[in-house]
Amino acid sequence: MGKRVAGRVLVLWCPDWPAVAAGRQARIPAGTPLAVFHANRVQTCTATARAAGIRIGMRRREAQSRCPELAVLPQNHDVAARLFEPVAAAVEDIAPGLEVLRPGMLACPARGPSRYFGGEEGAAEQLTDVVEALDVEAVIGIADHLEVAVLAARQQRIVPPGQDAAFCAGLPIAELTRDSVIAPPERRELVDLLIRLGITSCGAFAALPTERVATRFGLDGVAAHRLASGLGERGLYSRSVPDDLVVQRRCDPPLNRVDTAAFLGRALAEELHARLADAGLACTRLAISAATSDGRTLHRVWRAARPLTAEATADRMRWQLDGWLTSERLRQQRSGSSAGNDDAVGNTEPDQHGITVLRLQPVEAVDAGRVQYGLWGSDGADDHRAGWAFARVQGLLGPDAVLTPVRSGGRGPADKVTMVSWGDERRPERDPDLPWPGALPAPSPSRIADPARPDKLELRDAAGVPVSMTPRGTLSADPASIAGLSGLDGAEVAAWAGPWVVDERWWDAKVPAQQLISARPRYSARMQLVPVDGPALLLRYRAGPPAQGCWLVEGRYD
């Protein structure tokens, strides 16, 4: 699946790129402390934010307490990838064979630019000047192996030929987890274990026998051991691949909208992975090509630390198409051939320019036996067919027509699920691993009501009087029967538990505690109720004006 390119590797890294890109998109002045958050934790931040004490993984409240002027922005991979395309294009003009490792980091063979610019130091200086001309900070690392070059870029080092092992030996063992390009998320656990065992440097880890590492730490331990020893897993590859694994689609009319191109790109990704599955392969390096209506050819290679899934391939294609179409629109505006606001990406009306051909080409693949699929005997064919169907539905009705649940954090059963558009990154709205005081204890209801259309009911006491909540957060009487609920109208109550006051967002209104239920509509209460004949129910009391509160069915324990 490609021919290995011998020689040294140059890696260009734009530090803090997700935060830099987010700040540019939001037009925040340079030098403003800025951090990108996901699930209320810092994912990346700028140098000025770090100088103010902001650190990766810090909670939002703590970060803002340390730096009140901190600009808080959400994580957005699409923006980071789109704004990185001009950087990659500028580097490719003087350094051919470029590969994007992730938005903010790229690699290319060092031999060409070093010969043209009089050595590796000259090449590094020239590439840095090209990127900084775009008002983007960049650092260079060069080494014999790609993974070591990534570490060298983070240290702003040019490692002499044959000295990769010596360079890695002096690094802290934690450097093996610094970048997702060379380290899967689970490697953090391995490094934490090594530190507890007293192995704090890459040199100490490299000194361990390989067979002992394999026996004790498994395959990822061996990969980390190779990197600590200054050895790489894979190098850069040329672009020649078998034609039968290439997927291509002609676009008529030409594509010039990001949303339309993303739907087609998702279908191409599904087709590519279907062919790879038939061949027993999984892609680790992907080439994305496009032909434009004015006769130009666009090409970019993406590398992944782990074999790509269909969803990951679709994400990279969407990022790349977004970058290309935005660059095309800006180029046309500069030449006077089109007009409009370049920020309205995906909303601009079609014009005569656009992409006429899309092409996906696996540059490197590995045996699919190294990739674990479903646990129930599926070879992936059913998943591919379902994916095609979902993509067609989304193409007709929009991305929100097909949603997928993601485990989220929260106190109520509905809060513990975040619905995201199928094909998008499965990121929860709230971190499920955070503590949630007052959360409903296990077991959770087997069925959750639609929050937009919950069933209403009325609880009545033994005298037939409706049961409500008192201002003190207790029941006005013991419930004896249910009224107004389909299938359970008139059912007697066998048992009940609660109510439990739901004390959320208490800082939004300063109301005395004795008026908790009656005066604050944000506040409510839950209780569990078991009818004599029927499933157990989870009820929620929605507060309102006096005598106007109501009980809602939040879930059923079928």
Side-chain angles (χ1 to χ4, degrees):
M1 296 308 302
K3 180 180 179 182
R4 186 177 295 274
V5 177
R8 288 164 61 74
V9 182
L10 181 150
V11 169
L12 183 144
W13 175 45
C14 300
D16 312 319
W17 177 253
V20 173
R24 290 194 168 200
Q25 177 73 9
R27 292 185 170 87
I28 295 177
T32 302
L34 185 151
V36 170
F37 285 79
H38 175 67
N40 276 332
R41 289 186 179 272
V42 178
Q43 301 299 308
T44 185
C45 60
T46 58
T48 52
R50 284 194 298 274
I54 309 303
R55 295 294 181 265
I56 303 299
M58 185 178 290
R59 296 178 184 273
R60 176 172 176 173
R61 182 178 297 179
E62 181 182 358
Q64 290 180 311
S65 67
R66 293 193 179 189
C67 183
E69 65 275 17
L70 180 70
V72 175
L73 294 175
Q75 192 173 48
N76 192 322
H77 296 290
D78 292 354
V79 168
R82 167 161 53 87
L83 297 184
F84 190 63
E85 173 58 25
V87 177
V91 172
E92 193 174 36
D93 286 342
I94 60 175
L98 176 147
E99 295 181 4
V100 178
L101 306 183
R102 60 171 173 80
M105 181 176 287
L106 50 83
C108 66
R111 184 170 182 265
S114 63
R115 294 183 65 182
Y116 189 82
F117 295 110
E120 293 178 345
E121 292 185 1
E125 182 178 353
Q126 185 67 28
L127 288 173
T128 302
D129 291 343
V130 166
V131 176
E132 291 182 347
L134 302 175
D135 197 22
V136 176
E137 181 185 359
V139 295
I140 301 291
I142 302 179
D144 293 340
H145 300 91
L146 175 60
E147 290 82 355
V148 180
V150 171
L151 295 177
R154 299 186 69 89
Q155 302 290 326
Q156 303 184 44
R157 290 277 302 276
I158 297 178
V159 181
Q163 296 298 311
D164 281 15
F167 165 73
C168 291
L171 297 178
I173 193 70
E175 287 296 316
L176 299 182
T177 67
R178 295 298 187 196
D179 204 294
S180 61
V181 170
I182 58 175
E186 58 268 20
R187 185 168 295 175
R188 293 184 181 275
E189 297 181 5
L190 169 64
V191 170
D192 289 343
L193 175 58
L194 292 174
I195 293 175
R196 292 197 300 271
L197 294 174
I199 302 174
T200 59
S201 69
C202 290
F205 186 39
L208 298 177
T210 303
E211 60 275 10
R212 298 291 181 87
V213 172
T215 302
R216 179 63 178 83
F217 302 114
L219 291 178
D220 186 60
V222 173
H225 186 261
R226 285 181 57 83
L227 180 55
S229 304
L231 302 174
E233 288 297 306
R234 294 177 279 137
L236 300 174
Y237 279 69
S238 66
R239 296 176 178 176
S240 58
V241 295
D243 293 337
D244 58 348
L245 293 179
V246 177
V247 296
Q248 180 174 297
R249 190 70 54 85
R250 294 192 175 276
C251 311
D252 187 17
L255 298 176
N256 51 18
R257 290 176 59 95
V258 175
D259 51 0
T260 306
F263 285 127
L264 179 57
R266 183 174 297 171
L268 283 177
E270 294 287 347
E271 183 179 348
L272 172 66
H273 281 266
R275 296 189 182 186
L276 289 169
D278 292 340
L281 298 173
C283 182
T284 54
R285 187 172 288 116
L286 178 72
I288 304 173
S289 305
T292 64
S293 54
D294 56 356
R296 296 184 305 113
T297 299
L298 307 174
H299 185 90
R300 185 71 68 232
V301 177
W302 286 77
R303 180 191 187 275
R306 287 292 182 267
L308 292 168
T309 63
E311 291 79 8
T313 298
D315 285 344
R316 283 158 177 78
M317 195 165 189
R318 185 180 72 251
W319 298 342
Q320 191 59 60
L321 291 173
D322 194 352
W324 279 339
L325 290 173
T326 303
S327 299
E328 283 293 291
R329 189 169 291 112
L330 292 174
R331 185 182 66 83
Q332 293 168 20
Q333 289 176 353
R334 286 193 295 267
S335 64
S337 61
S338 65
N341 186 353
D342 59 277
D343 292 325
V345 178
N347 298 318
T348 304
E349 292 298 324
D351 55 29
Q352 68 272 25
H353 298 284
I355 293 175
T356 58
V357 178
L358 278 178
R359 179 185 175 95
L360 279 181
Q361 179 179 1
V363 180
E364 180 189 0
V366 296
D367 186 351
R370 295 169 58 182
V371 185
Q372 184 173 348
Y373 293 106
L375 296 176
W376 314 115
S378 172
D379 60 357
D382 294 338
D383 294 340
H384 286 301
R385 285 194 294 270
W388 275 92
F390 293 158
R392 285 195 295 270
V393 172
Q394 286 183 313
L396 293 172
L397 304 179
D400 291 337
V402 182
L403 303 177
T404 183
V406 180
R407 179 173 171 265
S408 184
R411 294 177 176 84
D415 300 332
K416 296 181 179 180
V417 177
T418 297
M419 303 301 294
V420 300
S421 297
W422 179 84
D424 290 350
E425 189 171 3
R426 295 168 59 86
R427 292 181 174 272
E429 182 179 353
R430 297 167 295 275
D431 189 351
D433 296 326
L434 294 178
W436 292 96
L440 184 71
S444 297
S446 55
R447 286 195 294 167
I448 301 174
D450 183 354
R453 296 185 297 273
D455 292 330
K456 295 183 180 180
L457 59 85
E458 189 176 82
L459 295 181
R460 295 177 178 174
D461 61 13
V465 178
V467 177
S468 62
M469 298 293 298
T470 69
R472 297 291 297 174
T474 60
L475 294 178
S476 59
D478 292 346
S481 63
I482 298 173
L485 182 62
S486 177
L488 290 175
D489 189 21
E492 295 183 358
V493 175
W496 53 276
W500 304 287
V501 173
V502 182
D503 190 6
E504 294 179 310
R505 302 189 66 84
W506 48 267
W507 54 88
D508 283 353
K510 296 181 178 179
V511 179
Q514 63 269 22
Q515 301 179 21
L516 181 63
I517 296 299
S518 60
R520 291 195 272 190
R522 282 186 179 273
Y523 288 69
S524 58
R526 287 192 179 93
M527 68 177 296
Q528 293 170 326
L529 183 142
V530 182
V532 172
D533 185 15
L537 304 176
L538 175 66
L539 305 182
R540 179 163 182 150
Y541 184 79
R542 185 166 64 189
Q548 294 187 19
C550 63
W551 292 98
L552 307 175
V553 178
E554 195 170 20
R556 295 173 182 259
Y557 298 88
D558 292 339

